[in-house]
Amino acid sequence: MNTPLPLGVPSVRRLPFDGRSLDEVVAELTEEVRELYTADEVPWVIGYSGGKDSTAVLQLVWTALQELPAEELTKPVHVISTDTLVENPVVAAWVTTSLDTMQKAAAEHGLPIQPHRLTPELKDTFWVNLIGRGYPAPRPKFRWCTERLKIKPSNSFIRNVVAAHGEAIMVLGIRKTESQARARAMEKHERRRVRDRLSPNANLPNSLVYSPVEDWTNDDVWEFLMQKPNPWGYNNQDLLTMYQGASADGECPLVVDSTTPSCGSSRFGCWTCTLVEQDKSMTAMIQNDEEKEWMTPLLELRDKLDSPFGFVEDKDDPDYQPGKKVPHPRSDKRARDFRRMNGQVNLFTRRSDGETVAVHGPYLQKYRQEWLEELLSAQTWIRAHAPEHVRNIELITLDELHEIRRIWVFGKHEVEDTLPQIYKKATGEDFPGGPLDEQLVMGADEMELLKEVCDGDELHYDMVRELLSVERRYRTMTRRSGLFKALEGAVQKGFYEDHDDAVSFARRKRKWREDVATNPTLDEETTIDAPA
């Protein structure tokens, strides 16, 4: 009697490379790489994340180019790696060291391989947007991070290559077995191939995609990496060890469009990612290796960002299942302004009970200050207690801190200028930035007095503070064009008594718009009690 296999284990295990030998497959692919490379003068751009798939692709290309005579190595091969500045620190250090090693090895072997570490623009970084502007932690319906942190830096680089050379070929470690959606997308592009193995890129004009390991499985990739030494001198066994220390998902891919799977659903991604319920890779690293316990403050801060007020069942969630708990879509509403970034009050109707409620906007000042203090405190603790090789870790850069300070004081009119005090409290050091006294409306003592006069009325305090800030900004201008509009905007943003008053007014305004569609003679001010 045959013993049944455990549930989920296939009855027939696929042989690596469908039974072909590794040497045969590698010889065939490296020859293909050489033919494509020497066929034209179009530069190549290889997406490198430091994970297994992108490492395998780069190894194939490197091996192929090593066998070409020097006179045929005529065009550059750019290796780009996008650092979001909030990558898992272990993976970020791995990739950075790999790029440095790669650059030295390429120069020694005379190869036209040029590594590039890409980062988002200052205005697009995670902390500038979350702590500075107050963007709420990313969610599947508000995935603001991917475009800014991943897509824009890599696409900008590729567009520059296209602008300089007229065309570019992207070499990616994408595989059909990653997911059914990925397989369907790749097969769709295969039907539109303009040359053998080169597919068009719908998001980047004048660029083609080459995916040499598209038909490989996970087993194929690992067999190749374990049996073929890394040509630029890095240790693939260490890569395997890093994978073994965490979950079994795939690594964070090079993201060039919004259809690419989020880093949050992949093996290694941003430690701040709130697109998934749990950071399984960092959790596993901490549990599996005592030397990585220093990342615990990061995990704790990530979980707090994910759901400041807990996890609940959410019947409004389109993917709702009984018993499934997620960060409640309203669980962070107490931490967010009931007005949008532009000061408007927008409404939506809940499906669960039909009630019309406000669409909440950015994080309130109090919570942005708390996020910053906790982030700086975590950085300070890690620098004091972590292993020597991460003692200089930078969770947030000084440039980001200066930009956050600028946004708070001049963009959000938070003229108390609290960032230097927060920095001093969290780090024990003075903030390395000059004073803003000459640019501030009033000093700290005067602002405290104003707060006392407002007697706990935060909305009116914020309005008066913004009016003073607007007046201060226009005071030295020769032409004050726009002053009255800015003052009017501050008043309109703050004339509500509280959240309920704002929602009530927005409901009356919506009702008036519905009524005026049938009776255009209605007067807005008398109908909805609008302010003069």
Side-chain angles (χ1 to χ4, degrees):
M1 180 177 179
N2 294 329
T3 303
L5 291 170
L7 184 65
V9 176
S11 57
V12 179
R13 180 179 173 84
R14 175 192 178 276
L15 292 173
F17 303 107
D18 287 322
R20 301 173 65 197
S21 72
L22 174 61
D23 289 339
E24 179 185 358
V25 172
V26 171
E28 183 179 292
L29 275 177
T30 51
E31 178 59 30
E32 177 180 274
V33 169
R34 285 190 290 272
E35 289 180 2
L36 289 172
Y37 177 83
T38 57
D40 52 45
E41 296 301 316
V42 180
W44 283 16
V45 180
I46 301 179
Y48 178 70
S49 68
K52 65 182 190 308
D53 296 336
S54 59
T55 299
V57 165
L58 182 54
Q59 279 197 202
L60 286 169
V61 173
W62 192 296
T63 302
L65 297 187
Q66 274 186 321
E67 298 177 9
L68 285 174
E71 60 271 16
E72 293 189 32
L73 299 173
T74 57
K75 64 184 185 182
V77 176
H78 300 284
V79 179
I80 62 172
S81 180
T82 305
D83 185 349
T84 63
L85 302 181
V86 284
E87 297 289 328
N88 180 306
V90 172
V91 180
W94 167 273
V95 174
T96 300
T97 306
S98 179
L99 292 174
D100 292 341
T101 305
M102 191 185 305
Q103 186 171 25
K104 295 175 183 176
E108 290 174 1
H109 292 88
L111 297 176
I113 295 176
Q114 304 171 14
H116 306 269
R117 175 179 170 269
L118 309 180
T119 57
E121 293 184 46
L122 181 60
K123 65 182 179 64
D124 290 330
T125 68
F126 184 85
W127 296 122
V128 164
N129 282 284
L130 187 137
I131 293 178
R133 296 188 175 91
Y135 282 19
R139 294 283 181 248
K141 292 182 180 178
F142 188 41
R143 188 176 147 184
W144 56 264
C145 52
T146 307
E147 170 73 23
R148 290 171 171 81
L149 306 185
K150 283 285 188 181
I151 297 176
K152 288 177 68 174
S154 49
N155 282 8
S156 176
F157 183 93
I158 295 166
R159 287 194 179 99
N160 288 338
V161 173
V162 171
H165 301 275
E167 199 172 4
I169 294 176
M170 298 172 57
V171 188
L172 305 179
I174 51 177
R175 297 181 296 108
K176 295 177 183 176
T177 57
E178 290 179 70
S179 67
Q180 292 182 354
R182 172 57 60 86
R184 286 194 298 269
M186 293 178 68
E187 288 166 359
K188 174 184 176 182
H189 290 306
E190 277 181 21
R191 294 192 290 270
R192 300 167 53 211
R193 281 180 171 169
V194 294
R195 287 166 48 187
D196 290 342
R197 299 300 297 271
L198 298 182
S199 302
N201 188 324
N203 298 284
L204 290 168
N206 296 333
S207 64
L208 300 171
V209 174
Y210 173 42
S211 47
V213 299
E214 60 185 20
D215 295 317
W216 287 17
T217 64
N218 278 334
D219 289 345
D220 296 338
V221 174
W222 283 121
E223 179 169 343
F224 170 70
L225 293 176
M226 291 301 100
Q227 295 194 32
K228 298 295 181 181
N230 187 297
W232 59 90
Y234 230 41
N235 192 336
N236 288 343
Q237 185 62 48
D238 291 342
L239 178 63
L240 176 61
T241 300
M242 189 165 63
Y243 268 81
Q244 290 171 335
S247 62
D249 300 324
E251 80 277 5
C252 180
L254 172 71
V255 181
V256 293
D257 60 67
S258 57
T259 63
T260 305
S262 161
C263 294
S265 61
S266 66
R267 170 67 168 75
F268 301 126
C270 302
W271 68 266
T272 58
C273 185
T274 51
L275 293 172
V276 289
E277 294 182 27
Q278 181 186 20
D279 187 335
K280 295 180 180 179
S281 63
M282 183 175 286
T283 301
M285 285 182 176
I286 294 171
Q287 292 174 348
N288 296 338
D289 188 349
E290 291 184 358
E291 291 188 359
K292 294 185 175 63
E293 288 183 357
W294 59 267
M295 292 194 293
T296 301
L298 304 187
L299 194 60
E300 292 174 348
L301 180 55
R302 178 261 166 211
D303 289 344
K304 189 171 182 180
L305 282 175
D306 191 10
S307 186
F309 308 109
F311 290 76
V312 294
E313 288 190 37
D314 179 19
K315 295 182 179 179
D316 287 332
D317 188 342
D319 300 321
Y320 168 73
Q321 297 175 1
K324 178 184 178 183
K325 289 193 174 184
V326 297
H328 197 287
R330 290 182 296 281
S331 67
D332 66 349
K333 294 301 184 287
R334 284 176 288 173
R336 293 166 58 187
D337 198 330
F338 61 82
R339 299 159 296 188
R340 305 306 295 271
M341 197 78 76
N342 59 7
Q344 294 183 353
V345 178
N346 294 351
L347 303 177
F348 84 102
T349 303
R350 290 200 299 246
R351 294 188 303 169
S352 57
D353 54 14
E355 183 182 358
T356 302
V357 295
V359 179
H360 281 63
Y363 285 131
L364 296 167
Q365 179 181 6
K366 171 178 179 286
Y367 290 93
R368 286 183 278 108
Q369 291 172 342
E370 287 182 5
W371 298 140
L372 179 59
E373 183 175 342
E374 293 199 26
L375 177 63
L376 290 171
S377 296
Q379 177 175 279
T380 303
W381 186 91
I382 291 172
R383 287 180 174 181
H385 297 89
E388 191 65 33
H389 66 278
V390 289
R391 287 288 176 91
N392 295 323
I393 192 169
E394 197 171 48
L395 300 182
I396 182 170
T397 67
L398 280 176
D399 285 342
E400 288 177 291
L401 289 170
H402 287 301
E403 179 65 7
I404 289 169
R405 186 188 190 190
R406 186 194 67 79
I407 292 172
W408 282 6
V409 174
F410 303 111
K412 292 184 174 293
H413 310 289
E414 294 166 359
V415 294
E416 302 90 346
D417 190 25
T418 57
L419 189 143
Q421 290 78 28
I422 294 171
Y423 186 90
K424 174 74 172 181
K425 180 181 178 182
T427 68
E429 301 173 359
D430 292 330
F431 181 66
L436 299 178
D437 295 346
E438 295 182 0
Q439 304 176 56
L440 298 179
V441 178
M442 294 185 290
D445 293 339
E446 289 83 359
M447 295 308 298
E448 280 298 320
L449 181 61
L450 175 61
K451 184 169 288 189
E452 288 180 17
V453 171
C454 291
D455 193 24
D457 191 335
E458 291 292 335
L459 285 178
H460 288 171
Y461 169 75
D462 290 347
M463 181 182 69
V464 174
R465 182 180 64 180
E466 183 168 344
L467 288 171
L468 290 170
S469 178
V470 168
E471 190 280 332
R472 174 67 178 82
R473 189 176 69 214
Y474 280 87
R475 183 186 305 169
T476 57
M477 292 185 178
T478 305
R479 297 179 66 251
R480 294 193 174 190
S481 175
L483 170 61
F484 292 113
K485 184 177 181 180
L487 293 173
E488 182 181 8
V491 173
Q492 289 180 342
K493 182 179 178 180
F495 80 90
Y496 308 109
E497 291 295 331
D498 52 28
H499 165 270
D500 292 338
D501 180 42
V503 172
S504 176
F505 177 78
R507 287 171 179 166
R508 295 197 304 272
K509 192 169 185 179
R510 174 186 281 189
K511 181 66 167 55
W512 173 80
R513 286 173 175 168
E514 293 171 352
D515 292 342
V516 82
T518 57
N519 185 3
T521 62
L522 286 176
D523 178 74
E524 179 175 355
E525 289 191 15
T526 58
T527 306
I528 63 174
D529 299 325

